[in-house]
Amino acid sequence: MSNELNRGNGVSPPPVSQVAQGGRISALLKQTKKLERLNTWFKIALNNMVRGLSMFDADQRLIVCNESYREMYGLPEELTRPGTPLADILSYHIKKETGRDGEEERTRQDQWLKNHAAKLASGNSFTRTQNLSGGRTFLVMYQPIAGGGWVDVQEDITEKRWAEEKVEWLARHDPLTGIANRFYFRESFEDALKIIVQGPAVVLHWIDLDRFKDVNDTLGHPVGDALLKAVAERLRSSVRKADFLARLGGDEFAIIQMGAGRREQCEHLARRVMHVLSKPFHILGHTVSLSASIGIVRAPEHGTTADELMKRADIALYDVKSSGRNGFAIFRSGTKHKPGLKHQLDRDLRSAVRNGQLKLHYQPIINLKTGHVSSCEALVRWEHPQHGTAMPDNFLPLAEQSGQMLEIGSWVLNEACRDAARWPDDLKVTVNLSSLQFQNGDLLNVVDKALADANIKPSRLELEIAEAALLSDGECMREVLPKLRERGIGTSLDDFGRASGSLSYLRNFPFDKIKIDRSYIRDQLDRKDRAAIVNAVTALARTLGIGTVAEGVETLGELKCVEIAGCDEVQGYYFSDAVPKGELMAVLSECEQKLWAAA
Ligand code: C2E
Ligand code: CA
Ligand code: CA
């Protein structure tokens, strides 16, 4: 029916061959469309890649590249068209990076292209790192393709690289001051020592700031930190490029001085360091004065290994510290001085103050006339993390020798006043002073500040000075004692009788009290001579208007004796040992009960 209709319309059907051709065209069209679509997808994919991509043919002409590639190298549009020679891209890039396109640049470029072709010829993929002038770093991976040419992929690794470098930098530097840390110092020192066998001398300056801790304590950590930065800066300006500066930790620095063949050269640097550090620092509105102690060793003269030299620099430093600081010392070969455990303890002690390992215990002093505890004596303890609790006789002499007594003394004063602020108003606090605190000349300020900070009346503080200190520092005492008295601060002559027992002290120095040494109190009942001395001292003190304290009272018998002799106050194990501050209040009433029971 339809055929007829068609025929009736006079339209004849197309020949078979024509039908086949039309089918091919539509298939081709379809395929082209498909390819176009694919091409579009491919372009979208390429241009959305974060990494740069480009493809070159065997003649080093661009086949295709993506947007990221163009952007990464900042290429103009005409250099990203297919067919662009790599050489054109390269010369554009070199000019952009260097600002030049002379003969030299062209030679470099030719060399690069030749090299590149040779690498591709191997057929293996390879990578290159490119450092661009703006500080960016690209990692480029080249993949040769069959029949010549290659594909390359560029990754911007600037951030990654920066992070890696930062981690590496932090491993070798002190973040506060920006100079080398202990680890990097050690590595560099060992490297320097490798070349000294026949070569020039290497000198190590071990620098320790004097009383840096005081700055931290009185002005606070931000000032301490800023001061360390300023110190590092001054040290940096005092060394030559060839020298190596490091912060070994805390307030310790080191300089490796290269090629200081003569002794004067290393002395010269040490003097310069002391000089630059001695000028006042202006830190966050404060003016801070510093000094430094420096221990010096020379290699190979004093050793050839880092360990040996560092130990000896430490010995030299210790020599400076124990002879009053603020100076330098070159290690003396054959010195008998062996710091060993002592020096170790000295170092530990410094960190003890910093790390809060010092604690105050208190021992009550009982007034026999009133029947009450009148004061508590602060006795310092060192809670050493390895050796347990150390008693003052075991570490204070060391502190005096190595120059840490002032720091400890100030800490004790402050802490004791703060503790007393929490006690009843009629209870005093008694603090022991070292003779070094008198010599320092700053004692009155330290005392005033401790009282003011704790907000307690001067009359609540009693200071004890050992009799032995009068022998060496009588003059200082004569000056300071009246000033303490003016302020209403009580003073006691401690350990009376242990050093000389000279009664003339009682007449010549204005003490409020005298503490009779415990060796006189012991065995009072059996040793009539001791009892006689106690009686004589008490009688003289009474006529001079000076109070008396018997220390080291261990038994009821001893208590009776000192009571009969007329002592005003007593202290000793019979009542209580020195106890941690948390236990003190309970102990106070126990002491008073014991006294009533003894009556
Ligand atoms: P000190 O001033 O004579 O203190 C009394 C010492 O005798 C304390 O020893 C105390 O625990 C001990 N003691 C108390 N009652 C008795 C007793 O009944 N019998 C015996 N045998 N001993 C008793 P500690 O705490 O070992 O102190 C020793 C010395 O260390 C003190 O002697 C004092 O000279 C010094 N010291 C303690 N703390 C400080 C301080 O903060 N600064 C200064 N500069 N020296 C301190
Ligand atoms: Ca004492
Ligand atoms: Ca004493």
Side-chain angles (χ1 to χ4, degrees), residues 161-364:
R161 189 109 199 238
W162 189 80
E164 278 168 15
E165 275 169 10
K166 174 120 199 195
V167 168
E168 203 177 305
W169 187 89
L170 279 173
R172 301 165 138 246
H173 292 83
D174 163 40
L176 177 68
T177 59
I179 61 177
N181 64 13
R182 184 179 266 274
F183 169 78
Y184 192 15
F185 157 77
R186 173 90 200 195
E187 198 181 69
S188 307
F189 193 35
E190 279 171 359
D191 283 349
L193 293 176
K194 282 185 196 141
I195 55 161
I196 52 158
V197 186
Q198 285 305 315
V202 171
V203 178
L204 170 64
H205 298 251
W206 190 307
I207 305 162
D208 192 300
L209 305 181
D210 299 330
R211 302 199 185 105
F212 172 75
K213 166 89 175 30
D214 287 352
V215 176
N216 248 352
D217 283 355
T218 52
L219 303 177
H221 287 279
V223 176
D225 282 356
L227 180 62
L228 287 172
K229 269 187 179 169
V231 165
E233 208 35 65
R234 288 194 190 176
L235 290 176
R236 211 200 307 256
S237 68
S238 335
V239 298
R240 295 167 313 157
K241 261 216 168 85
D243 302 335
F244 186 91
L245 170 68
R247 179 177 170 216
L248 303 182
D251 53 359
E252 283 178 25
F253 293 82
I255 296 172
I256 304 171
Q257 186 184 13
M258 303 299 294
R262 283 174 296 116
R263 191 186 169 94
E264 306 87 76
Q265 284 171 296
C266 65
E267 287 182 354
H268 181 71
L269 176 58
R271 276 199 201 95
R272 190 158 71 227
V273 165
M274 301 214 358
H275 175 70
V276 296
L277 295 183
S278 70
K279 291 190 207 143
F281 289 83
H282 301 288
I283 308 280
L284 304 172
H286 300 274
T287 302
V288 184
S289 296
L290 265 190
S291 63
S293 303
I294 310 176
I296 303 171
V297 277
R298 281 151 50 89
E301 193 184 329
H302 300 135
T304 49
T305 67
D307 278 334
E308 189 180 18
L309 287 160
M310 283 165 75
K311 212 182 274 167
R312 292 181 160 183
D314 211 13
I315 293 173
L317 176 64
Y318 189 76
D319 269 353
V320 181
K321 289 265 174 201
S322 48
S323 58
R325 317 159 169 211
N326 192 13
F328 65 87
I330 299 179
F331 175 76
R332 279 168 290 134
S333 302
T335 176
K336 296 274 184 297
H337 180 80
K338 277 208 200 95
L341 178 67
K342 195 172 161 202
H343 195 195
Q344 177 60 40
L345 277 177
D346 175 25
R347 295 200 154 261
D348 287 356
L349 188 54
R350 267 189 254 180
S351 61
V353 183
R354 248 170 251 165
N355 298 338
Q357 290 166 4
L358 293 187
K359 297 274 149 43
L360 288 186
H361 283 200
Y362 289 97
Q363 187 178 33

Side-chain angles (χ1 to χ4, degrees), residues 396-448:
L396 290 184
L398 180 66
E400 298 206 336
Q401 253 181 41
S402 62
Q404 292 171 65
M405 195 58 227
L406 292 181
E407 196 176 308
I408 295 178
S410 301
W411 178 85
V412 170
L413 257 169
N414 281 303
E415 181 81 357
C417 290
R418 275 196 297 269
D419 287 341
R422 288 191 288 268
W423 300 345
D425 266 352
D426 57 352
L427 185 60
K428 296 182 187 183
V429 65
T430 302
V431 174
N432 292 281
L433 292 182
S434 147
S435 65
L436 288 177
Q437 287 170 279
F438 274 90
Q439 289 166 22
N440 182 250
D442 199 29
L443 178 67
L444 291 168
N445 289 336
V446 176
V447 170
D448 288 345

Side-chain angles (χ1 to χ4, degrees), residues 116-138:
H116 187 59
K119 276 201 134 176
L120 286 167
S122 75
N124 297 323
S125 62
F126 58 96
T127 55
R128 268 199 197 108
T129 308
Q130 288 183 354
N131 293 310
L132 273 65
S133 58
R136 304 206 74 76
T137 307
F138 297 162

Side-chain angles (χ1 to χ4, degrees), residues 377 432 464 494-496 498 515-518 551 571:
E377 181 175 11
N432 292 281
E464 287 191 10
D494 200 1
D495 303 337
F496 181 75
R498 197 187 294 181
K515 270 185 117 164
I516 305 166
D517 189 60
R518 55 180 174 272
E551 66 171 7
Q571 177 182 11

Side-chain angles (χ1 to χ4, degrees), residues 4-210:
E4 271 171 37
L5 259 177
N6 286 343
R7 238 176 268 135
N9 286 341
V11 181
S12 50
V16 176
S17 63
Q18 256 186 26
V19 173
Q21 209 176 351
R24 257 204 308 274
I25 288 171
S26 78
L28 263 173
L29 276 172
K30 250 192 197 160
Q31 212 169 357
T32 311
K33 274 227 171 85
K34 209 172 152 188
L35 274 175
E36 270 171 6
R37 249 203 329 267
L38 207 66
N39 202 14
T40 312
W41 284 124
F42 189 54
K43 255 192 183 154
I44 292 175
L46 263 187
N47 290 331
N48 279 288
M49 276 174 72
V50 178
R51 293 175 186 188
L53 179 140
S54 60
M55 189 173 177
F56 289 82
D57 63 17
D59 297 327
Q60 301 197 328
R61 287 176 185 275
L62 185 65
I63 298 172
V64 68
C65 72
N66 69 357
E67 269 302 302
S68 296
Y69 180 80
R70 203 174 71 73
E71 278 168 13
M72 286 169 86
Y73 292 106
L75 298 175
E77 209 268 328
E78 64 269 22
L79 282 180
T80 59
R81 287 187 199 138
T84 307
L86 173 62
D88 290 1
I89 299 177
L90 215 58
S91 49
Y92 176 85
H93 177 67
I94 292 176
K95 181 159 184 221
K96 194 162 163 252
E97 284 289 299
T98 61
R100 288 190 307 263
D101 60 348
E103 196 55 42
E104 196 185 311
E105 282 70 36
R106 266 193 294 281
T107 318
R108 240 178 64 204
Q109 178 181 324
D110 290 347
Q111 191 57 46
W112 191 92
L113 286 169
K114 249 190 234 150
N115 229 332
H116 187 59
K119 276 201 134 176
L120 286 167
S122 75
N124 297 323
S125 62
F126 58 96
T127 55
R128 268 199 197 108
T129 308
Q130 288 183 354
N131 293 310
L132 273 65
S133 58
R136 304 206 74 76
T137 307
F138 297 162
L139 180 72
V140 191
M141 215 252 308
Y142 298 87
Q143 175 66 55
I145 45 182
W150 73 93
V151 175
D152 57 50
V153 178
Q154 356 269 359
E155 188 185 356
D156 186 336
I157 55 164
T158 314
E159 276 12 92
K160 215 159 112 188
R161 189 109 199 238
W162 189 80
E164 278 168 15
E165 275 169 10
K166 174 120 199 195
V167 168
E168 203 177 305
W169 187 89
L170 279 173
R172 301 165 138 246
H173 292 83
D174 163 40
L176 177 68
T177 59
I179 61 177
N181 64 13
R182 184 179 266 274
F183 169 78
Y184 192 15
F185 157 77
R186 173 90 200 195
E187 198 181 69
S188 307
F189 193 35
E190 279 171 359
D191 283 349
L193 293 176
K194 282 185 196 141
I195 55 161
I196 52 158
V197 186
Q198 285 305 315
V202 171
V203 178
L204 170 64
H205 298 251
W206 190 307
I207 305 162
D208 192 300
L209 305 181
D210 299 330

